[in-house]
Amino acid sequence: MKIELEAGSKTHEVTNQAPLLTNYNLFTTDRVLAEALDREGASWARPKLEEFGRLVGTEEAIRWGFQANDNPPVLRTHDRFGHRIDEVDFHPAWHELMRLSIEHGLAGLPWRETKAGAHVARAALMLVASENEAGHTCPVSMTYSAMPALRKQPELMREWEPRVAACRYDPQCRPATDKPGATIGMAMTEKQGGSDVRANTTMAEAIDFGEYLITGHKWFCSAPMCDAFLVLAQAPGGLTCFLLPRWTADGERNQFHIQRLKEKLGNRSNASSEVEFDRAWARRIGEEGRGVATIIEMVQHTRLDCLIGSASLMRQAIVQAIHHARHRKAFGRLLMDQPLMQNVLADLSIESEAATVLMMRLARAFDARDNDVSEHGFARLATAVAKYWVCKRTPAHVNEALECLGGNGFVEECVMPRLYREAPLCSIWEGSGNVICLDILRAMRKEPESVACVLAEIRLAHGGNRHFDSFISRLENDLTLEATEVEARRLAERMAIALQASLLIRNSIPEVADAFCASRLAADSGRAFGTLPGSVQFRAIIDRAF
Ligand SMILES: Cc1cc2nc3c(=O)[nH]c(=O)nc-3n(C[C@H](O)[C@H](O)[C@H](O)COP(=O)(O)OP(=O)(O)OC[C@H]3O[C@@H](n4cnc5c(N)ncnc54)[C@H](O)[C@@H]3O)c2cc1C
């Protein structure tokens, strides 16, 4: 007997499932981001963000995100005739995502745009892009961040900056001179040490003025199909920064060999490789022996991007959670109408808002810091403080948001597992938690004016909330004392929360600011998300979020 199979099921009707969240504008539905864009000086970029938010939210772009992660990159060390090629094949969806982001200026906008607020505009674009797919934002971020380091070597800057500022993407592996644009990666971490780059063993041998041959390895080198890499190596004068291109000046493949690709917890669309340099041709950036001082310019920007990336994961997580709760019923009522779920969603919403407003305020400091000493001081310390705290909060936040979707949140057809696997990464990158906290102590010791700048920003909300006022008076007192290493995390956390509270008191609705202060600054506040006091206006907070 022939059994007819039909689409769907004959045994039951499918009900009470949330519809797919697609074809929505990631920017216009994010009131907090839109307000911050105006407040921090980039309202001129609104049309661009509206267009980008629409494109990123289309069914097609969301599908690219899934395809790029379901079909991870593949290493091809040799061609079929046995020639070494060291190329990585990516799914076409990866290239679509790269093209979309690069052509909308996520790497190049601040280096071509003369208007004030370009870093703010670009931060907002980056948040939106990363909500959909975080892996491809790694090379985008490194390309953006490489520019300040390259500026230390004017002839290299003249060569590479126009390529980055061109905002063009070409996936072909060929000499950068033949390409309309360029991407730039970085390779610092070696097997024996990542945080401690002074332990690098890779050697640089001078061959001509400013030109060197590099021999050694790197244990992590993400996006190895970039056109060039900032690399640290030991030159005769000490640890030095170099620009090592994939192709030499003669148009030959450089001696840059990809050994293997990492099997990673998350960030699976992106290739992270182990590489060896066998007398690879490179050009020096900055002086010999000044490698850390040179590359730190890049690191400051990638730390800002770690903050943006984490804020972005929180944003997408809370959007998915709210969307689900608005459509799913349990025990006869929508989840959204259940008091305890409202508490969880409101708590996650204020955490996400606090992350977004902090990263946007910091992006303004990146716009202003070259011409304003107080913004320079603020950026120096607040970048580390904010990166530490927001990245630390993200895994717990995404975990709680995932739980709002129940079992559906644990299934790979949903974006939540991808967000969850991505969530710990930004905390490791560009200074893991402890290393960032040690950097905070270093900034406080060597650049004490940076503490004054952060405190000045915090104090702007003085008088706005009683929990806040007593919290900052204790913090100010503690900041007058010399902190020890063991206390550094506690101090970093308190500075970050005080900054977030100050921004929310001044710029958000009272419901959000009061709930944040009552739950993050009061002595008897809860530990898990969903422990806001009962007096909080939950619906107002959730409706503001999405
Ligand atoms: C997916 C992925 C992609 C990456 N891509 C790149 C890349 O493209 N280029 C690149 O250069 N690197 C890259 N990295 C490497 C990354 O930057 C390093 O892993 C990171 O800097 C930490 O270095 P490590 O792994 O050597 O850990 P370690 O330096 O050994 O640190 C281990 C732990 O010890 C802690 N620690 C270190 N020193 C101290 C101290 N003094 N006191 C207290 N605690 C301390 C750290 O905070 C950390 O928690 C990537 C990593 C990942 C996971």
Side-chain angles (χ1 to χ4, degrees):
M1 190 176 72
K2 194 177 164 203
I3 299 172
E4 288 288 332
L5 290 175
E6 288 177 12
S9 173
K10 280 186 171 172
T11 62
H12 63 283
E13 210 184 319
V14 179
T15 61
N16 197 25
Q17 291 280 359
L20 194 64
L21 179 57
T22 188
N23 290 324
Y24 74 109
N25 189 316
L26 276 77
F27 176 70
T28 55
T29 52
D30 190 344
R31 190 177 308 168
V32 170
L33 184 64
E35 285 173 7
L37 187 81
D38 293 346
R39 186 171 60 244
E40 307 301 357
S43 51
W44 52 266
R46 243 176 198 267
K48 191 176 185 67
L49 269 142
E50 285 169 8
E51 169 68 358
F52 190 65
R54 184 189 65 76
L55 288 171
V56 172
T58 58
E59 201 179 330
E60 187 179 35
I62 292 171
R63 191 168 54 244
W64 291 337
F66 280 92
Q67 288 172 335
N69 283 275
D70 292 344
N71 301 279
V74 177
L75 173 62
R76 289 197 299 128
T77 52
H78 297 80
D79 69 10
R80 69 191 181 108
F81 305 107
H83 303 116
R84 187 116 207 182
I85 54 169
D86 297 287
E87 292 192 10
V88 180
D89 285 343
F90 289 86
H91 189 272
W94 163 271
H95 296 303
E96 294 296 345
L97 291 163
M98 285 291 289
R99 190 184 316 281
L100 188 64
S101 290
I102 298 262
E103 292 187 357
H104 279 83
L106 275 74
L109 181 78
W111 315 121
R112 71 187 273 169
E113 181 59 68
T114 49
K115 288 196 194 91
H119 289 277
V120 170
R122 185 254 169 203
L125 290 163
M126 191 74 170
L127 184 119
V128 168
S130 189
E131 272 190 71
N132 180 36
E133 208 289 309
H136 84 284
T137 62
C138 167
V140 170
S141 164
M142 293 192 291
T143 304
Y144 157 73
S145 305
M147 289 304 103
L150 275 179
R151 285 181 171 184
K152 300 240 165 144
Q153 200 63 44
E155 72 278 11
L156 285 182
M157 199 242 332
R158 278 193 295 275
E159 219 175 280
W160 288 86
E161 194 178 60
R163 292 178 187 151
V164 171
C167 300
R168 301 277 303 279
Y169 178 65
D170 177 351
Q172 301 296 320
C173 185
R174 56 186 177 141
T177 42
D178 300 344
K179 288 181 151 192
T183 49
I184 301 180
M186 70 162 155
M188 299 191 282
T189 308
E190 296 188 1
K191 289 172 184 159
Q192 71 284 352
S195 311
D196 184 7
V197 290
R198 290 185 192 279
N200 274 192
T201 59
T202 294
M203 300 301 292
E205 169 198 343
I207 49 167
D208 203 347
F209 184 72
E211 296 184 27
Y212 291 72
L213 293 179
I214 310 279
T215 302
H217 80 284
K218 294 293 166 183
W219 183 229
F220 278 91
C221 175
S222 287
M225 294 305 286
C226 287
D227 297 292
F229 299 85
L230 297 194
V231 167
L232 288 179
Q234 303 287 358
L239 193 67
T240 305
C241 186
F242 296 93
L243 186 74
L244 191 155
R246 284 295 307 248
W247 298 76
T248 67
D250 303 329
E252 304 286 332
R253 283 178 196 273
N254 207 351
Q255 294 300 314
F256 170 101
H257 299 314
I258 307 174
Q259 303 304 106
R260 58 176 177 161
L261 301 186
K262 303 276 193 193
E263 276 284 343
K264 293 177 289 182
L265 167 67
N267 199 254
R268 297 180 73 86
S269 63
N270 181 24
S272 296
S273 65
E274 295 164 19
V275 293
E276 284 187 16
F277 310 131
D278 185 5
R279 292 168 65 81
W281 177 73
R283 290 153 81 190
R284 195 184 66 233
I285 309 175
E287 292 166 34
E288 275 194 15
R290 301 279 300 154
V292 173
T294 304
I295 212 158
I296 209 75
E297 284 299 316
M298 173 174 196
V299 169
Q300 269 296 87
H301 287 74
T302 43
R303 283 183 180 169
L304 172 66
D305 276 2
C306 287
L307 170 61
I308 299 171
S310 289
S312 165
L313 293 176
M314 285 197 211
R315 171 68 194 161
Q316 180 60 198
I318 186 60
V319 164
Q320 294 289 340
I322 292 175
H323 174 75
H324 184 82
R326 283 191 178 136
H327 293 92
R328 179 81 167 176
K329 281 184 183 160
F331 303 99
R333 265 198 302 180
L334 283 172
L335 292 176
M336 181 54 80
D337 297 331
Q338 314 269 1
L340 198 44
M341 182 58 91
Q342 288 181 354
N343 196 328
V344 172
L345 292 173
D347 209 355
L348 293 172
S349 298
I350 60 175
E351 193 68 29
S352 167
E353 176 163 351
T356 298
V357 295
L358 182 53
M359 79 82 177
M360 290 293 277
R361 170 62 186 91
L362 201 55
R364 169 152 65 89
F366 277 67
D367 272 313
R369 68 188 185 139
D370 289 345
N371 304 313
D372 182 332
V373 285
S374 57
E375 288 297 298
H376 180 88
F378 178 75
R380 168 66 187 95
L381 182 57
T383 306
V385 163
K387 193 262 187 203
Y388 168 73
W389 181 240
V390 173
C391 295
K392 271 281 163 269
R393 291 292 272 177
T394 304
H397 183 281
V398 174
N399 174 23
E400 197 65 63
L402 183 154
E403 192 174 318
C404 293
L405 277 75
N408 282 1
F410 207 70
V411 173
E412 291 287 346
E413 287 164 307
C414 163
V415 74
M416 297 307 293
R418 176 146 50 94
L419 302 183
Y420 184 70
R421 285 196 301 269
E422 196 73 21
L425 180 53
C426 286
S427 193
I428 298 172
W429 256 340
E430 295 306 343
S432 309
N434 288 350
V435 171
I436 289 285
C437 289
L438 295 176
D439 184 52
I440 290 169
L441 293 189
R442 195 175 310 116
M444 291 170 66
R445 212 172 31 245
K446 290 193 165 174
E447 298 168 62
E449 66 284 1
S450 66
V451 181
C453 297
V454 167
L455 276 177
E457 177 76 21
I458 293 172
R459 274 196 209 106
L460 291 174
H462 187 261
N465 180 285
R466 69 188 167 87
H467 297 302
F468 177 76
D469 289 349
S470 58
F471 188 86
I472 59 165
S473 73
R474 288 196 304 277
L475 177 65
E476 281 179 322
N477 185 49
D478 291 350
L479 283 171
T480 60
L481 311 168
E482 175 110 9
T484 61
E485 286 193 15
V486 285
E487 296 165 313
R489 277 189 179 229
R490 179 102 186 93
L491 201 60
E493 176 175 319
R494 289 165 66 207
M495 277 193 276
I497 294 170
L499 267 175
Q500 291 182 320
S502 173
L503 286 162
L504 292 177
I505 291 168
R506 284 178 282 146
N507 304 311
S508 189
I509 56 173
E511 291 87 341
V512 168
D514 291 347
F516 187 91
C517 293
S519 57
R520 273 69 169 168
L521 308 182
D524 61 346
S525 47
R527 299 286 182 270
F529 286 106
T531 51
L532 296 175
S535 56
V536 162
Q537 299 296 307
F538 302 106
R539 281 309 278 262
I541 295 173
I542 299 166
D543 289 346
R544 172 175 168 77
F546 187 54

